[in-house]
Structure formats: structure tokens, C-alpha cells
Amino acid sequence: SISMTTCSTLFAMGMMPLCLFVYTKIWTDSNAIVLPYNSIGISLVALIIPVSFGMYVNHRWPSKAKIILKIGSIVGAILIVLIAVVGGILYKGSWIISPKLWIIGTIFPAAGYSLGFLLARVAGLSWHRCRTVSLETGMQNTQLCSTIVQLSFSPEQLELMFTFPLLYSIFQLLFALLILGAYRVYRRHRVKTKTDVEKVEEKEDSKSTSSHAKINGGFVSNET
């Protein structure tokens, strides 16, 4: 997961401007959009450095890395909530969403999770890696997207542009929770069923052993 995040962040330096250049030609003049590449580069480097530091700490001090992971997860979750609340307050116009955007915002995360898993299976990856690829494909960095959008467009355009990362972040978390919940139920049911089967087999083995012992209860070896 960390390796995929690092690679996608590095490739984003070139692929993100290329994608914007290709896609914006459909609906507007590409020369009209001025992207602050220095700011994008700084934000991407700011993501790579903590990931690299985390990999080094995890390799050098595994026990301390677990403590840092717990603290970082809590702080990260609080920051995500704060960013979402502040963004929703600052850009109130973004909540006026057309039905088309609702549909697109719903389809994109679901397509990411599904295609990521299916393509990983086609590539012959193991079950655990397929799950990782699926989550990495469906869970995109909407915070980075929101930052780039805020740096790239005017305040008037921002109310329209800010809508999609907002929708995507909501539905990617919703689908992730649904997938996780379904997987936990499946795991619990599978383990329970497996345990029940093992108990039945143990009972049958004990019954067959006891009946065999009764039939041959008086047998005494006379080899000596």
C-alpha cells in the first residue's frame, strides 16, 4: 500500500498536468487554465517526505512505529474531519449539486474499487494483494485534489470545481465502510462455520473411538 502510494505520488508530477491538458480540451481552452506547478510540486513533495520517513522508522524501530501509527491515525482522522467541515463552510455554494454530479460522484469510487480488484485478479495477484490494489485504486487523495483545485482556479470557478472532490470523498469512504463491513461479516461467518464443522468432526471422531474401544475393550496383547 505504501509502495503504491509513493509511486502514484511520484507519477502524479507528470501525469496530473497531462490529464488536465487532455481532458480540459473538451470543455475549455487549455491555455485558459494556469496551473501553479511549483505549488503542486511542493504539495507532492510534502507527501513523499512523510511517507519515506514512515517507511524508514517502520524498518528501523518497528515497536515505536506502532505507537506513531496509532497517534498519527487519530490526528489524521481529526484533520480530515476539520478540513471537510472548514471546506463545507467556506464553499457553501458547492452543496448545490446537480443530479449528474451526484451520479458521477457515486460511480467513480465504485468503479475504482471494482476495476482495481478485477484487474489485480487478471494479473494473477494473490487475494491479499488484490484487496490492497482495490483499496488503493478506489481511495484517492481528495485532500490533494482539493488543494490543487483551490490553487488552480478563481473563487468564482472554485464553487463549481470543489464539488466533485467533496462528493468523491464522501462516497469513497461510504463504499469503503460497506466493503469492510461485508468482509467482516463474511470472515466472521466463515470462521464460525469452519469452527462448527471442526467440532462436528471432533465429536464424530470421539464417538467412533469410544465405540471401537468398547468393541475391543477386552483385547490384551499376548506378544510376550
Side-chain angles (χ1 to χ4, degrees):
S1 178
I2 292 174
S3 299
M4 290 186 68
T5 302
T6 305
C7 290
S8 63
T9 305
L10 287 170
F11 281 116
M13 287 289 290
M15 294 303 297
M16 194 176 296
L18 177 62
C19 287
L20 288 171
F21 173 74
V22 172
Y23 295 137
T24 54
K25 289 173 68 175
I26 299 172
W27 54 274
T28 187
D29 184 10
S30 59
N31 295 325
I33 299 177
V34 180
L35 295 178
Y37 294 107
N38 293 334
S39 300
I40 294 173
I42 291 170
S43 62
L44 290 173
V45 170
L47 288 174
I48 294 170
I49 291 174
V51 169
S52 303
F53 177 73
M55 292 173 70
Y56 176 76
V57 171
N58 189 43
H59 176 72
R60 192 75 182 270
W61 305 285
S63 57
K64 293 182 180 179
K66 292 180 180 179
I67 300 172
I68 296 172
L69 179 63
K70 290 181 180 179
I71 297 172
S73 299
I74 296 169
V75 174
I78 294 171
L79 287 174
I80 289 171
V81 172
L82 286 175
I83 290 170
V85 171
V86 172
I89 294 172
L90 290 177
Y91 305 106
K92 294 179 181 179
S94 299
W95 292 103
I96 305 171
I97 303 168
S98 66
K100 290 181 179 180
L101 274 179
W102 278 106
I103 295 169
I104 294 170
T106 307
I107 291 174
F108 265 51
Y113 290 125
S114 304
L115 289 174
F117 185 84
L118 290 174
L119 291 175
R121 289 299 293 171
V122 170
L125 298 183
S126 63
W127 167 253
H128 293 86
R129 291 192 175 187
C130 287
R131 285 185 297 168
T132 303
V133 172
S134 175
L135 288 172
E136 283 289 325
T137 309
M139 294 286 288
Q140 295 298 316
N141 194 339
T142 53
Q143 288 76 31
L144 176 61
C145 178
S146 302
T147 303
I148 291 173
V149 166
Q150 290 179 42
L151 293 172
S152 302
F153 299 99
S154 64
E156 292 77 16
Q157 294 173 319
L158 196 56
E159 290 193 354
L160 296 173
M161 299 297 179
F162 196 74
T163 302
F164 183 74
L166 186 65
L167 276 177
Y168 195 101
S169 61
I170 293 171
F171 282 105
Q172 75 172 359
L173 290 174
L174 181 61
F175 280 117
L177 290 173
L178 290 174
I179 293 169
L180 178 60
Y183 178 71
R184 292 294 294 270
V185 170
Y186 166 75
R187 287 279 297 174
R188 191 173 298 177
H189 176 73
R190 185 184 177 187
V191 171
K192 186 178 178 181
T193 306
K194 189 176 180 181
T195 306
D196 293 340
V197 170
E198 288 176 353
K199 286 181 179 179
V200 171
E201 289 178 352
E202 287 176 2
K203 287 181 180 179
E204 289 178 353
D205 290 340
S206 61
K207 284 181 181 179
S208 61
T209 304
S210 60
S211 61
H212 186 72
K214 288 179 181 178
I215 295 170
N216 300 286
F219 178 79
V220 179
S221 176
N222 59 355
E223 290 179 358
T224 57

